[in-house]
Amino acid sequence: MASFLWTLCLSALFLAPGVISAPPKRPIDVPFGRNYVPTWAFDHIKYFNGGSEIQLVLDKYTGTGFQSKGSYLFGHFSMHIKMVPGDSAGTVTAFYLSSQNSEHDEIDFEFLGNRTGQPYILQTNVYTGGKGDKEQRIYLWFDPTKEFHTYSVLWNMYQIVFLVDDVPIRVFKNSKDLGVRFPFNQPMKIYSSLWNADDWATRGGLEKTDWSKAPFIASYKGFHVDGCEVSVNAKFCETQGKRWWDQKAFQDLDAYQYRRLRWVRQKYTIYNYCNDRARFPTPSPECKRDRDI
Ligand SMILES: *[C@@H]1O[C@H](CO)[C@@H](O)[C@H](O)[C@H]1NC(C)=O
């Protein structure tokens, strides 16, 4: 930590303005209360270690959730989450960014629970201007209920990258040139929640939540936010183009990251809206880029 701070100071002193040192490899963990507040059912959130770890509780009365205090245009947002252990069928744990207006933008991680020993599904989605329908689904290469894993979003003018333990599992490129809207001018808050969705979540809704197994508990820590904070109505960001997530190295994945993404594609992907011809006879234009991966 000390040496990291030193690097920061030295870069600030000796680098020309606009030249940014590499981002912290390990984002700094902050207590929950610094950046986040509960959204609803406050009594269903439990706090540990002075707020450095929390648990969301779902029972037959209600689920719960929290949101960031600030709104952000671009940045890097991550969370360590341990999913509901045991029988989690019917439950959904979500981590997402969303703007607050009617034609909203949204970047989603949704973790669909399952019966004991059966695999979770991670569904991702992107909404632009209120329109979603861009789901992808994967199985994870580990059991997400055993340990904390890191789920993060990198969002800049060039791309939105979904990462699991630093492995890119999805890239949504800015395809404005192909006529596709890209989230760029609506600040988003970060949200997380745990709720009952047994009408669709597990095996398409066939597996129902077993309330005799309640309460269902998802655990969180490392509430990291590194974004450009703006008011809800702001359309631009003062630091745009200047912070680490805007720099060249983050405008595209590198060769190693593409290899890892292809590995996720080949071994773990179970659904991709780009390949669903029954639902979309004409795939959305950005799917052209998706196929090149
Ligand atoms: C749950 O397990 C079943 C059986 O292994 C599997 O088909 C399904 O994809 C799993 N996940 C969800 C969320 O339904």
Side-chain angles (χ1 to χ4, degrees), residues 10-261:
L10 288 174
S11 342
L13 282 173
F14 297 120
L15 292 179
V19 180
I20 308 290
S21 62
K25 279 276 177 290
R26 203 172 280 284
I28 300 150
D29 290 352
V30 288
F32 178 81
R34 180 104 62 84
N35 290 328
Y36 293 94
V37 287
T39 308
W40 89 97
F42 291 23
D43 62 339
H44 278 57
I45 303 189
K46 290 187 187 161
Y47 301 86
F48 302 90
N49 305 327
S52 63
E53 188 176 331
I54 67 161
Q55 291 181 345
L56 300 189
V57 178
L58 166 67
D59 58 23
K60 66 179 171 193
Y61 302 104
T62 184
T64 187
F66 61 88
Q67 65 187 71
S68 62
K69 294 178 183 170
S71 298
Y72 303 88
L73 267 175
F74 309 116
H76 178 261
F77 313 92
S78 70
M79 194 79 70
H80 308 309
I81 313 176
K82 191 160 72 179
M83 302 302 157
V84 176
D87 187 343
S88 59
T91 72
V92 172
T93 305
F95 170 48
Y96 60 103
L97 278 73
S98 180
S99 65
Q100 284 91 60
N101 50 336
S102 56
E103 299 208 340
H104 78 297
D105 296 331
E106 191 174 312
I107 302 169
D108 279 342
F109 279 100
E110 290 184 313
F111 301 88
L112 318 185
N114 216 332
R115 301 255 91 103
T116 306
Q118 300 300 310
Y120 258 75
I121 285 177
L122 167 52
Q123 168 168 296
T124 56
N125 203 355
V126 177
Y127 283 73
T128 53
K131 201 180 157 307
D133 290 340
K134 298 185 193 299
E135 295 91 355
Q136 294 187 359
R137 287 180 165 203
I138 65 169
Y139 288 134
L140 295 161
W141 50 95
F142 51 84
D143 179 347
T145 72
K146 289 281 187 272
E147 321 262 348
F148 284 94
H149 289 268
T150 309
Y151 304 95
S152 54
V153 172
L154 169 74
W155 171 35
N156 58 33
M157 273 302 276
Y158 304 89
Q159 59 179 355
I160 294 165
V161 187
F162 296 77
L163 301 120
V164 172
D165 291 336
D166 292 328
V167 177
I169 59 145
R170 177 171 185 175
V171 182
F172 185 78
K173 292 251 165 211
N174 187 336
S175 299
K176 204 174 76 182
D177 56 325
L178 302 176
V180 181
R181 288 174 73 156
F182 186 82
F184 78 102
N185 63 351
Q186 308 198 99
M188 301 204 225
K189 286 185 184 239
I190 303 146
Y191 297 85
S192 199
S193 51
L194 170 62
W195 78 93
N196 176 41
D198 68 1
D199 53 331
W200 63 274
T202 310
R203 292 214 298 128
L206 292 176
E207 304 283 347
K208 299 297 178 192
T209 304
D210 179 355
W211 293 109
S212 75
K213 306 280 168 47
F216 303 100
I217 294 173
S219 306
Y220 291 75
K221 59 184 185 181
F223 306 92
H224 168 73
V225 176
D226 199 3
C228 178
E229 187 168 352
V230 293
S231 78
V232 172
N233 299 315
K235 292 263 181 263
F236 70 97
C237 193
E238 261 176 55
T239 62
Q240 198 169 309
K242 298 193 187 121
R243 302 292 299 277
W244 67 260
W245 55 84
D246 291 314
Q247 302 304 304
K248 190 91 189 124
F250 304 94
Q251 296 177 7
D252 196 0
L253 301 186
D254 62 24
Y256 175 68
Q257 290 176 315
Y258 271 115
R259 278 205 298 281
R260 309 221 58 191
L261 178 57

Side-chain angles (χ1 to χ4, degrees), residues 1-15 20-23:
M1 173 56 87
S3 76
F4 166 66
L5 286 177
W6 255 114
T7 316
L8 268 189
C9 294
L10 288 174
S11 342
L13 282 173
F14 297 120
L15 292 179
I20 308 290
S21 62

